[in-house]
Amino acid sequence: MEITIPKKLDTDQAIKFIEYIHSINLLDISSIKFVAQMTFVRTFAMTFVALGLKQFASRAKLKNPDLIISIEVYPDTSGVSYAANMGFFKCISSSILVGNDPGTLGGNQNYLPITQMDLSSVRKKYNSFYEVGEIVQKESMHLASVLSHSQNNLTELFTYIFREMIRNTPEHAKTNTVWFAGQYYSRDNAAEICIIDEGQGIFESLKQNVFYEELIKSNSDALQWAIKPGISQAFSLKEKPRRKSEWDNSGYGLYFITEICKLLKGSFCLVSGDAFLKLGTDGHLTFGKAQFDGTAVKVSISLSEDFKVDNMLKFIRDKGREESKKMKYSFDTPSRSSRSITV
């Protein structure tokens, strides 16, 4: 069986492709050959497909141990060359002898290659007295500086996005490993960032809270609630009035990120389990089927919009507080880290 990776590898095609390959009846076939001949590749789509193929191969071998999986690569194709340099093929499997290993291509002011961050290892770089949030803040500032083109407001914005998407991963996803990549597109004057974990997923996280048992019954429900203010696995009526640390999980991270995308006419995509949620540049939300073990986030922002990060976060904080007051089971105030550039 031969399967071609979409030649135009954007967000929509990536999600459809990974959902499709997981629907294949593996017991009826002896071999699968993937063909890589991409001509157009976007950052999130590239990273999502690489990890999706890695997950597919692992699952396929369990279902059909005799299945032969191979990949045919056309290295001279523009999209393939870019993906190879960014670590796409080695992210799928280290046995694919094409391109760079993830994280080995040094980033510049246009890109961050596909990179795996192990928060356990990162902690060892810093004094043990630092909280996880403080460590992630330091790493996020470094990542942001690569894409910001020395513009302070962009450095602040990208630092905030990386930090809020990464810092709660151990608690939410039950994993210390996060994948990320980023790209500045000069033609569009836009930047795209993706942060992906292969942990338990949003639905599995939220359903552990008894308050959400009747509200959230599927991955699709979980995604819709996850972008509302104050929705968190950590929510408790007992702890609602106050929290112990400025880094505590308050359920505002995804809400702030989606609101930032709305204000800056950007786009946002959230994939977890068998569902996805996508926010378009027109502010319209769409939902659909997907297949991914973990949680994948894409943030794409136009850099043409004029903004001050502090003012934007204050506006979103006030809006979120008002919305959370209308909901029964949500934190009514974001943690200091969620509502501030620096903590």
Side-chain angles (χ1 to χ4, degrees), residues 102-115:
T104 57
L105 181 67
N108 64 14
Q109 287 196 327
N110 287 322
Y111 63 82
L112 288 166
I114 296 173
T115 303

Side-chain angles (χ1 to χ4, degrees), residues 176-241:
N176 282 308
T177 302
V178 181
W179 293 88
F180 64 82
Q183 179 74 51
Y184 168 71
Y185 297 99
S186 57
R187 186 179 66 179
D188 304 326
N189 194 25
E192 183 168 302
I193 295 169
C194 72
I195 299 101
I196 302 177
D197 71 70
E198 297 181 274
Q200 68 177 353
I202 293 174
F203 178 44
E204 291 299 319
S205 174
L206 290 179
K207 78 175 186 180
Q208 293 173 29
N209 190 316
V210 295
F211 294 106
Y212 301 140
E213 285 180 348
E214 295 302 314
L215 296 174
I216 301 172
K217 296 184 179 296
S218 67
N219 284 294
S220 183
D221 289 344
L223 298 189
Q224 294 178 61
W225 279 93
I227 63 170
K228 294 179 184 292
I231 300 299
S232 170
Q233 169 200 336
F235 175 80
S236 165
L237 289 175
K238 193 182 299 182
E239 296 179 11
K240 188 172 181 180

Side-chain angles (χ1 to χ4, degrees), residues 17 26 38 40 95 152 198 223 229 245 285 299 308 325 343:
F17 174 70
L26 299 172
M38 300 89 75
F40 175 91
S95 65
N152 288 338
E198 297 181 274
L223 298 189
S245 165
L285 280 173
V299 177
K308 288 195 67 174
K325 290 176 183 177
V343 182

Side-chain angles (χ1 to χ4, degrees), residues 208-336:
Q208 293 173 29
N209 190 316
V210 295
F211 294 106
Y212 301 140
E213 285 180 348
E214 295 302 314
L215 296 174
I216 301 172
K217 296 184 179 296
S218 67
N219 284 294
S220 183
D221 289 344
L223 298 189
Q224 294 178 61
W225 279 93
I227 63 170
K228 294 179 184 292
I231 300 299
S232 170
Q233 169 200 336
F235 175 80
S236 165
L237 289 175
K238 193 182 299 182
E239 296 179 11
K240 188 172 181 180
R242 64 184 181 85
R243 290 178 296 279
K244 299 176 183 177
S245 165
E246 61 265 35
W247 298 105
D248 279 353
N249 173 7
S250 62
Y252 275 81
L254 287 172
Y255 172 74
F256 268 77
I257 301 300
T258 53
E259 291 299 313
I260 286 171
C261 288
K262 289 177 185 177
L263 291 172
L264 298 182
K265 297 181 175 60
S267 63
F268 171 86
C269 185
L270 180 61
V271 184
S272 190
D274 63 2
F276 77 83
L277 172 156
K278 191 170 70 167
L279 173 75
T281 54
D282 58 358
H284 180 65
L285 280 173
T286 56
F287 308 88
K289 294 181 179 180
Q291 183 58 58
F292 189 77
D293 295 333
T295 301
V297 179
K298 181 199 85 167
V299 177
S300 182
I301 292 174
S302 170
L303 305 185
S304 301
E305 298 295 316
D306 188 32
F307 63 90
K308 288 195 67 174
V309 180
D310 248 341
N311 293 343
M312 187 163 53
L313 295 184
K314 184 178 184 300
F315 172 80
I316 296 170
R317 179 199 67 194
D318 294 343
K319 181 182 177 184
R321 280 176 172 170
E322 291 304 310
E323 290 185 22
S324 69
K325 290 176 183 177
K326 302 172 186 176
M327 301 189 299
K328 190 174 182 181
Y329 301 128
S330 67
F331 287 117
D332 55 14
T333 302
S335 64
R336 184 181 169 195

